[in-house]
Amino acid sequence: MKNRHPLPADFRRLWAADTVSQAGSAVTLLALPLVAIGVLDATALEAGLLVMSEYLAFLLIGLPAGAWVDRLRRRPVMIAGDLGRAALLLSVPAAAWLDVLSLPQLYAVAFGMSVCTVFFDVAAQSALPRLVDADRLADANVRLEATRNITQVGGPGLGGALVGALTAPVALAVDAVSYLLSALLVSRVRRPEPRPVARPGRSLRAEIAEGLRFVLGDRTLRAITAASAVSNLFGTLGAAMLMVLLVGDLGLSPLLCAAVFTAEALGGLLGSLLTLRVAAAFGQGRAMCASVAVSGVLWLSAVPLYQDDWRLAGAVALQGLGWTAFMTFKITSVAYRQRVCPEALLGRTAATFRFVVWGAMPVGALAGGLLGQWLGARPALWIGALGELLAVLPLLLSPLRTARELPAAPTLVRS
């Protein structure tokens, strides 16, 4: 096997920052809904509104955020995002201690977190190609996804233990500390970052439009974006109701709820480690199509097995295997976008993708809450899982269906 130089030290610092913040976020993944459902007795619709708030900023400010990030140095943006998220999370245990915690505050915290995450994630994805050579981007993304899933293996279990021992609001303080540590690690990235070149006479609207044309003007990028959006729309529809089903309908303990997320993380970890081999064996385009199709079938098969008996183990296993299959699509698509995008458009490309893809998530969460309130949590899960199967259609209608290697970079069209 060909020897490869280790990835740069600055990437490893960014990698470490992402790892510790993801570890805390894995605790919040369980703790925040438990605050709403277990402490404040949220209904299915109210739980759906909370999940919607967690992603709403991607829909409201996703596009201008990319243009703003392209005008700024990325490292200060990431540090500000981490500090903002830490402050927001610390407000929850503080309000609980003062006995003034309410659902409106949780909605405000979730929305504020989403605003900070928009800027942090766009800046981080834009910074990565400056820290890693183009031919190592897939390798770097595999490592990022692998460690994210490793932290998510232990995170929900730790979250369940903390919720059981210290209550859900206090468990959120752990995540706040992780964001403070992440900010410290990001501040230690040493590679000089020149100030972006000013573009006099260029309006924010024109710069946003340039990013949109780049992403949506090419068949391959357009297909990847559409597939991701459909998957997120229906995936969030179901995810918004999963905790309602597990906690509200089935009455499962926090530790058993954590098992679902731990299985997802283990499956994602295995999938991230297999991604490069799967893509090499089947070809990148065909592997991406199979990845989305197989994961959709596995997630659909899990829905009837979410019960308060031995069948729960089968649901947990299928949920995890679904993420094993899906990681090939997730990692390959991100690496492709980073590889083909001109540096001047990195922020806007990431923001355009997240506006479309993550912007579908608050819509899915709201739909899940409404369907859960009207039909019940399990029927809403069925609708979400069936909708996931549609995500493969944009890929099958694109050149990816038969491609072994992904196409070259699309042509940049300037206004």
Side-chain angles (χ1 to χ4, degrees), residues 108-356:
V109 168
F111 177 70
M113 292 278 292
S114 74
V115 171
C116 294
T117 300
V118 165
F119 283 97
F120 181 92
D121 286 359
V122 169
Q125 285 205 0
S126 303
L128 184 60
R130 286 191 56 82
L131 303 179
V132 180
D133 292 337
D135 64 343
R136 302 297 302 279
L137 278 173
D139 189 17
N141 277 289
V142 164
R143 295 180 187 218
L144 285 168
E145 288 296 335
T147 51
R148 284 172 189 169
N149 284 286
I150 289 172
T151 58
Q152 288 168 11
V153 169
L158 175 61
L162 288 172
V163 169
L166 302 175
T167 75
V170 176
L172 292 174
V174 175
D175 194 7
V177 173
S178 75
Y179 284 122
L180 294 175
L181 181 56
S182 174
L184 176 64
L185 289 166
V186 171
S187 71
R188 293 177 59 81
V189 173
R190 300 303 185 196
R191 181 164 183 171
E193 185 179 3
R195 183 179 296 277
V197 178
R199 304 175 72 183
R202 294 282 292 175
S203 69
L204 185 66
R205 181 177 178 180
E207 293 186 356
I208 291 172
E210 193 172 6
L212 279 168
R213 280 195 301 274
F214 183 82
V215 173
L216 302 180
D218 175 79
R219 287 186 67 192
T220 301
L221 284 175
R222 188 167 62 244
I224 289 171
T225 303
S228 301
V230 172
S231 178
N232 276 3
L233 173 67
F234 287 101
T236 310
L237 189 158
M241 290 299 99
L242 182 56
M243 288 299 292
V244 175
L245 175 67
L246 297 178
V247 179
D249 293 358
L250 301 180
L252 300 182
S253 69
L255 284 176
L256 284 176
C257 296
V260 177
F261 298 103
T262 299
E264 290 181 355
L266 283 169
L269 171 61
L270 178 60
S272 65
L273 297 176
L274 294 175
T275 290
L276 296 180
R277 295 183 181 181
V278 171
F282 296 99
Q284 292 175 324
R286 286 178 286 185
M288 290 171 74
C289 294
S291 169
V292 175
V294 172
S295 62
V297 171
L298 290 168
W299 288 329
L300 179 65
S301 302
V303 175
L305 300 180
Y306 280 113
Q307 306 291 343
D308 59 351
D309 54 28
W310 61 269
R311 287 171 289 181
L312 180 65
V316 169
L318 289 169
Q319 190 79 6
L321 289 172
W323 277 101
T324 300
F326 191 73
M327 293 306 292
T328 295
F329 171 76
K330 183 177 180 181
I331 291 174
T332 305
S333 63
V334 171
Y336 175 69
R337 286 190 291 108
Q338 290 173 336
R339 176 169 59 85
V340 303
C341 180
E343 183 174 346
L345 277 176
L346 281 169
R348 279 165 286 170
T349 298
T352 297
F353 182 81
R354 286 177 176 259
F355 167 74
V356 177

Side-chain angles (χ1 to χ4, degrees), residues 1-183:
M1 181 180 293
K2 183 180 178 181
N3 292 325
R4 309 192 75 173
H5 295 296
L7 289 163
D10 278 339
F11 165 75
R12 295 198 296 272
R13 295 185 183 104
L14 180 65
W15 184 13
D18 185 75
T19 298
V20 295
S21 67
Q22 291 291 334
S25 296
V27 173
T28 298
L29 182 69
L30 183 70
L32 194 60
L34 285 176
V35 172
I37 299 170
V39 177
L40 300 176
D41 297 319
T43 66
L45 177 58
E46 289 168 339
L49 290 174
L50 179 62
V51 177
M52 181 190 75
S53 300
E54 292 179 307
Y55 300 107
L56 189 57
F58 287 94
L59 185 62
L60 297 182
I61 64 168
L63 288 177
W68 288 326
V69 167
D70 278 340
R71 297 178 175 184
L72 302 169
R73 290 188 174 98
R74 278 77 183 227
R75 188 164 61 246
V77 173
M78 288 186 280
I79 293 172
D82 273 335
L83 295 178
R85 289 184 287 190
L88 287 162
L89 284 177
L90 286 173
S91 74
V92 176
W97 182 67
L98 295 171
D99 199 25
V100 294
L101 185 63
S102 65
L103 279 172
Q105 181 186 347
L106 288 188
Y107 295 149
V109 168
F111 177 70
M113 292 278 292
S114 74
V115 171
C116 294
T117 300
V118 165
F119 283 97
F120 181 92
D121 286 359
V122 169
Q125 285 205 0
S126 303
L128 184 60
R130 286 191 56 82
L131 303 179
V132 180
D133 292 337
D135 64 343
R136 302 297 302 279
L137 278 173
D139 189 17
N141 277 289
V142 164
R143 295 180 187 218
L144 285 168
E145 288 296 335
T147 51
R148 284 172 189 169
N149 284 286
I150 289 172
T151 58
Q152 288 168 11
V153 169
L158 175 61
L162 288 172
V163 169
L166 302 175
T167 75
V170 176
L172 292 174
V174 175
D175 194 7
V177 173
S178 75
Y179 284 122
L180 294 175
L181 181 56
S182 174

